[in-house]
Amino acid sequence: MIARKLWVLAALALPLVVAIPLPAPAGSADTVILTPDAHKIADQQAAITYARELIASGDMDRAVAQLADFVATHPDAAEAARFLGDLYYREGRFDRAETTYKELLARNPHDKQTHNRLGVVYATENRVDEAIVEFQDALPGTDSIRDLVLLHLRKGDLKQYESEMVRAANSDPNDADLQEELAEIYETVHHPNEAIVYFRRALDSDSRSIAALNGLGMAYLDLHDPTAATQYLDDCLNVDPINYACLDNLGVARIQAGSYDEATAAFKKAHRLEPERPEAIVNFGYLEDMHGDWKRAVAYYVEAIAVNPYVPESYVNLGIDYEHNGLYSLAQSALLRGVAAVPYDGRVRYLLARAYAAQGQKALALAQLKAAQASLDPDVAEIAKQESARLMQSSASTPQ
């Protein structure tokens, strides 16, 4: 069985909402006069914060409704509008998300964060070429590289894309963005040692690069070196103490080091910052599994799917728990939903194959194993290949 893996973030996908200090005018200790721009910032932050509070309480519908009302009456609130598009996407309302993002881009065609979000919508809808354009327009400075890797894998030209990026990065070794982007490609295709080389090159040119610091932490986690990972993740948090990605990955490093209480504290802090994100919730479930309470773990994985149904780890861990407890029909149901949401994840395909095989549906199992063999994770691809051979041999030896 594939070892259950913690959710490790490649980069921060959503912008952070930070508090803006508001100075008091001279000669007054009781009155604060805000400029019009400061009013807009404060109002927008309040709307996003309230939406997050509603999401944390389990009321996604109300969060979306109140944020939509705010955006409709505040056409210049770009951050709130982008967050509204994110929530539409999580609810599966792709048409509304696309419209919201396009309206933002009509006002600011150079908005890289929104290009990234629109690319995610197109990728989920399998509009591959359109998605690639949007992700390219989002670079540098966003987490588009992993998505570009997966899209070029779908197109069948991943090697060409990787070669082009290698040439670009090596032709300009002082360009921190190019080094970091190539490092992310290597991290996505599960070559952490190569990723480390280029993340470090990025830091040589920009020692405060959040993406490179978090990327190094992630690469060392892949190598099961929590000490080195923690060093870079701590450096990341020294630059940005409320960075969701670095906090969540620090929790992963704490688990690898056996410091479960510290891991829980890191995940809780990340979840308080952005309760609409599933990563910390998945890792809460992982901790419950480690403590032997698989039913509570399942509840967390289901919650993570409700928050965002388009990430694979929730389905992977849910499927593992169901299969470990012999609940193959439940595993099949959950994993079929996972295949619909994230059709190119080899782990989900492999686990669905196991659920089929356990119920005697060998033809369906073999079809899923064939899909799993295309996984970018070599461990997943190899175990799917071995399981396929075993299942075919078993079928051939079964008396007709």
Side-chain angles (χ1 to χ4, degrees), residues 347-358:
R347 297 164 300 172
V348 176
R349 296 280 191 173
Y350 171 76
L351 289 166
L352 180 56
R354 287 181 58 87
Y356 279 141

Side-chain angles (χ1 to χ4, degrees), residues 10-13 112 116 120 131-132 134-153 158 161-162 164-166 168-169 176-189 195 199 211 218 376:
L12 184 63
K112 293 181 179 181
N116 177 269
V120 170
I132 287 174
E134 294 301 326
F135 286 132
Q136 288 174 334
D137 286 345
L139 292 172
T142 67
D143 64 328
S144 295
I145 292 296
R146 175 178 172 79
D147 295 293
L148 280 168
V149 169
L150 297 176
L151 288 168
H152 283 292
L153 179 66
L158 177 57
Y161 168 64
E162 183 178 332
E164 290 172 355
M165 288 300 301
V166 169
D177 289 327
L178 285 175
Q179 309 310 307
E180 192 272 327
E181 288 168 15
L182 179 56
E184 285 194 34
I185 291 175
Y186 283 130
E187 182 62 22
T188 303
V189 299
F199 280 131
M218 178 181 56
L376 283 173

